[in-house]
Amino acid sequence: VGLDMTQWFTPTAENFFCRVGRDSIVKAICAAKGVPAKRSWQKLKKSELAALAEREIAGTGWLPEPLKA
């Protein structure tokens, strides 16, 4: 189809990260940034981790697997 979902969807804490598990949030950050998980992320509340993911992933073009072309 050739649809580029990065033009239509940006994952945020509200619309995506608060709706998935902590492991999925950490994997998303790692995949988008190309970095290993940090121990400090383990200590964050899920809402804080979701907000961190939103900030870290902004502008990277990362999408959840079902939305990737």
Side-chain angles (χ1 to χ4, degrees):
V1 176
L3 181 63
D4 181 6
M5 286 302 294
T6 59
Q7 296 178 13
W8 304 100
F9 179 77
T10 301
T12 64
E14 185 178 340
N15 73 10
F16 182 73
F17 295 113
C18 283
R19 300 169 191 264
V20 298
R22 294 177 62 82
D23 289 341
S24 296
I25 297 171
V26 170
K27 286 178 185 177
I29 298 170
C30 294
K33 301 295 280 186
V35 297
K38 295 182 181 178
R39 284 187 173 191
S40 60
W41 298 346
Q42 301 283 334
K43 298 175 185 174
L44 297 175
K45 294 179 182 178
K46 183 177 175 185
S47 59
E48 295 169 333
L49 185 60
L52 172 71
E54 180 177 347
R55 288 191 307 273
E56 291 293 317
I57 289 175
T60 65
W62 180 88
L63 289 171
E65 198 61 41
L67 298 179
K68 291 182 182 176

